[in-house]
Amino acid sequence: MTRDDETAPVAPTGVDTEKPSAARIYDWFLGGTHNWAVDREFARRLERQWRWVKPGARHNREFMNRVVRAALDAGIRQFVDLGSGVPTAGNVHEIVRDELAPGEEAKVVYVDYEPVAVAHAELILERHEATDWAGIVQADMRRPKDVLRHPETLRLIDFSQPVCLMMMAVLHFAGPHDDPPALVATYRNALAPGSWLGISHMSFGGQTGEDADGLRWMVEQYRQTSNPVWMRDREDIEPLFGDWPLLEPGVVHLPEWRPVRELRRDEEGARPFAWCGVATHP
């Protein structure tokens, strides 16, 4: 339902569909169906200013999908997705459901502080009949105790066993005052040996010219909102993994982490503008 002339999706009770939602905008970038005309209009305006926003979002989602599949192959059966947005268009519980054999069990916790994202998530998980093994926590990932001690987290996640914790395109909302190294360390310290930490982060990637200028325009727009964005480069991102060994191929651009397809020419330009990596608790 990504065309304005198609039937709109059902809105969760109490959700305002007349104002654009960051979670639903991201859903549209991913080709999802939980977005309205107001979201698409805003998203297209962003896309006109920075042409790589949609392919960049898809690269990020594909990286997350590859991390989930790799974690499942490694035997991990617990997943926590911080800043998850609307869990649609190939999100964690869908990958888990499709990859596991009948009778195998896994647990998924989504975390988002935006009420709109939480309302959509609850509706989606109910429709997918997944609420016994997947849940949504409304909390700010910058407050780890609120996430880790939330009743829904504790219902689903056994922290004495390995967990795949994902911080996908969310740490750029943590400013210097949030002390990102200490923030991520708090999450790492809560995880058992064998756990994984996956991070992706937007970056200028050392780029100049029109594309970098478009991204700077986007950053400036966010700086004028209650959710400012902070760009970081590889030398800032790699230390966030602490002393955990990085899985191959280390900290790389999104399409370079264990790729399963060749990039098209019309999406190649998004490559430099994000870094990612996965580390494991020794």
Side-chain angles (χ1 to χ4, degrees):
M1 301 174 192
T2 57
R3 287 172 44 196
D4 294 342
D5 58 349
E6 291 180 322
T7 303
V10 176
T13 302
V15 167
D16 186 352
T17 60
E18 299 300 318
K19 295 180 180 179
S21 155
R24 296 196 307 251
I25 290 166
Y26 190 65
D27 175 70
W28 183 80
F29 287 142
L30 296 171
T33 62
H34 287 263
N35 52 79
W36 277 258
V38 66
D39 305 307
R40 297 188 284 273
E41 179 182 353
F42 188 90
R44 288 168 183 144
R45 196 156 63 242
L46 289 179
E47 193 175 21
R48 284 194 294 271
Q49 293 294 329
W50 192 55
R51 57 178 171 166
W52 302 118
V53 62
K54 184 183 288 186
R58 290 179 176 171
H59 291 173
N60 188 67
R61 180 50 52 93
E62 290 178 4
F63 165 63
M64 185 203 73
N65 290 172
R66 297 194 300 274
V67 171
V68 171
R69 291 188 176 100
L72 288 169
D73 288 344
I76 295 177
R77 293 296 182 267
Q78 301 188 109
F79 298 85
V80 177
D81 184 5
L82 301 176
S84 56
V86 177
T88 186
N91 219 306
V92 180
H93 77 279
E94 295 177 322
I95 302 299
V96 169
R97 180 191 59 197
D98 294 343
E99 292 292 319
L100 289 185
E104 287 191 274
E105 294 185 353
K107 306 292 180 158
V108 177
V109 170
Y110 295 114
V111 179
D112 205 287
Y113 86 106
E114 187 179 5
V116 170
V118 173
H120 284 288
E122 290 174 341
L123 183 62
I124 291 167
L125 293 176
E126 288 173 4
R127 287 183 171 177
H128 289 180
E129 298 182 347
T131 53
D132 57 335
W133 59 274
I136 177 75
V137 169
Q138 184 173 346
D140 190 329
M141 66 93 190
R142 293 170 296 186
R143 299 178 178 271
K145 291 180 181 179
D146 292 350
V147 174
L148 298 170
R149 298 178 182 177
H150 193 282
E152 187 72 350
T153 304
L154 297 177
R155 177 179 77 89
L156 292 166
I157 302 298
D158 177 0
F159 284 104
S160 70
Q161 299 298 314
V163 174
C164 180
L165 179 80
M166 293 175 289
M167 307 181 83
M168 303 299 184
V170 69
L171 279 171
H172 51 242
F173 293 115
H177 55 285
D178 295 309
D179 194 356
L183 171 65
V184 180
T186 300
Y187 283 107
R188 288 201 317 270
N189 292 338
L191 303 179
S195 294
W196 285 19
L197 171 64
I199 294 175
S200 66
H201 200 300
M202 290 182 65
S203 172
F204 288 118
Q207 301 299 297
T208 59
E210 181 180 348
D211 288 339
D213 290 343
L215 181 55
R216 287 189 178 88
W217 177 88
M218 282 187 56
V219 170
E220 287 304 314
Q221 303 312 301
Y222 275 100
R223 288 283 174 88
Q224 299 171 31
T225 72
S226 59
N227 297 304
V229 168
W230 305 88
M231 297 288 101
R232 296 181 177 92
D233 215 333
R234 182 174 181 171
E235 60 267 23
D236 305 307
I237 297 165
E238 192 161 351
L240 298 176
F241 295 99
D243 60 356
W244 289 18
L246 285 158
L247 300 180
E248 291 295 333
V251 175
V252 294
H253 294 304
L254 291 169
E256 297 163 6
W257 199 89
R258 304 187 181 184
V260 295
R261 69 176 182 90
E262 295 286 336
L263 292 187
R264 303 187 308 270
R265 181 177 296 180
D266 64 349
E267 58 182 348
E268 179 67 40
R271 183 192 297 268
F273 295 104
W275 294 98
C276 69
V278 181
T280 183
H281 192 333

